[in-house]
Amino acid sequence: MPRCRTGGDPRPGRGSPRGAPHEITAWLPVDTPPRQIVNLGSGTGAGTFALLDRFPEAHVTAVDSSAGHLQRLRDKAYGRGETKRVRTVQANLDEPDWPELGTPDLVWASASLHHMAHPDQVLRAVHDLLPPGGLFAVVELAGFPRFLPESAPDDRPGLEERCHAAGARVHAAHLPHRGADWGPLLTAAGFTVEAERRLTVRVNGSNDKRVGVYAQTSLQRIRHSVADALAPEDLAALDRLLDTDNQRSILRRSDLAVRTERSVWAARRPTR
């Protein structure tokens, strides 16, 4: 059964450049700053800390099924001196009985809803969790991040796009809601969608080693899922990119850039 997790998606984490989460939190249609926030599928904390930065009086309850991710999040909170503002809860949100999450003013779900086996059930649960007027922010990847130029690598041009195409075929069966339009689903669950946005993210990596680390981590995850779906020549080229000792290693490239898009929905529980 799918869990509320992040391991299936290449998402920013330790070592990745700061970017989209902070821009999205700044865009949220908030009149009164929230004091209690729930982050569903928190992963290792990119969204959690963007929310804490945006709303300095808020407390965040971070929910994820991965004990390892939550421990890393707690470690980061300790390093930032914000342990009193962060609570972690390990839970599988596909289960019908959720743990006690309080009464948040804002619920945030970034790149997590498409992992749910029954997202309509999760949306209704969030609707019931929020008070009238409460805000639900849904962030989903419009596409997996790209890092290499289209002509790269020299020995197998277009390799990255072929990897993503193979990944789409592999994930189609067990992640049917990836890439969904969440607007109608939110409306069906009783929300009023107040705003939608597609955010284009581009970070030049020529002078930022974190982009290389992010690309390495992301392509390693893709390799794990598409190894059996790639042509042998493509798999060999991918392995050369991921081999940190190889002269063709992605960590040695100076032409990397993060290129991706994210779709955002801001939905509110009606006041009546």
Side-chain angles (χ1 to χ4, degrees), residues 45-258:
T48 294
F49 296 112
L51 290 162
L52 291 176
D53 290 343
R54 172 69 175 84
F55 304 111
E57 301 301 319
H59 292 74
V60 176
T61 297
V63 186
D64 203 279
S65 68
S66 169
H69 284 167
L70 292 176
Q71 183 58 56
R72 286 177 60 188
L73 192 154
R74 287 191 293 269
D75 291 343
K76 291 178 183 178
Y78 178 80
R80 290 171 51 120
E82 293 183 319
T83 55
K84 292 183 178 180
R85 299 180 63 201
V86 177
R87 170 187 172 223
T88 59
V89 176
Q90 186 177 359
N92 177 1
L93 297 178
D94 269 324
E95 297 294 337
D97 296 323
W98 282 17
E100 174 56 44
L101 298 177
T103 305
D105 310 297
L106 169 65
V107 174
W108 168 279
S110 178
S112 57
L113 287 183
H114 70 269
H115 285 291
M116 304 299 173
H118 305 288
D120 52 342
Q121 174 181 298
V122 173
L123 295 181
R124 289 194 298 270
V126 174
H127 177 274
D128 294 343
L129 179 66
L130 284 166
L135 188 67
F136 184 22
V138 175
V139 185
E140 284 288 338
L141 294 172
F144 282 104
R146 268 66 168 171
F147 302 94
L148 293 164
E150 292 181 4
S151 59
D154 294 339
D155 52 345
R156 295 293 292 175
L159 171 65
E160 191 171 26
E161 287 305 318
R162 292 193 295 277
C163 289
H164 286 294
R169 294 192 298 271
V170 169
H171 291 301
H174 66 276
L175 292 177
H177 299 288
R178 195 179 74 182
D181 180 358
W182 292 92
L185 297 173
L186 287 161
T187 300
F191 288 98
T192 298
V193 177
E194 290 195 349
E196 299 180 34
R197 182 185 183 187
R198 177 163 287 203
L199 178 69
T200 298
V201 179
R202 184 177 180 88
V203 180
N204 188 321
S206 59
N207 296 309
D208 192 338
K209 292 183 179 180
R210 294 175 301 171
V211 171
V213 174
Y214 183 22
Q216 172 86 2
T217 302
S218 299
L219 289 177
Q220 282 176 333
R221 290 172 175 166
I222 292 174
R223 194 240 186 256
H224 178 74
S225 63
V226 305
D228 295 334
L230 284 179
E233 297 84 0
D234 280 342
L235 185 60
L238 181 58
D239 284 340
R240 287 191 290 272
L241 282 172
L242 295 175
D243 181 359
T244 57
D245 294 325
N246 194 299
Q247 290 299 316
R248 297 177 183 267
S249 168
I250 198 167
L251 296 179
R252 298 175 185 264
R253 301 188 69 98
S254 61
D255 57 356
L256 300 179
V258 182

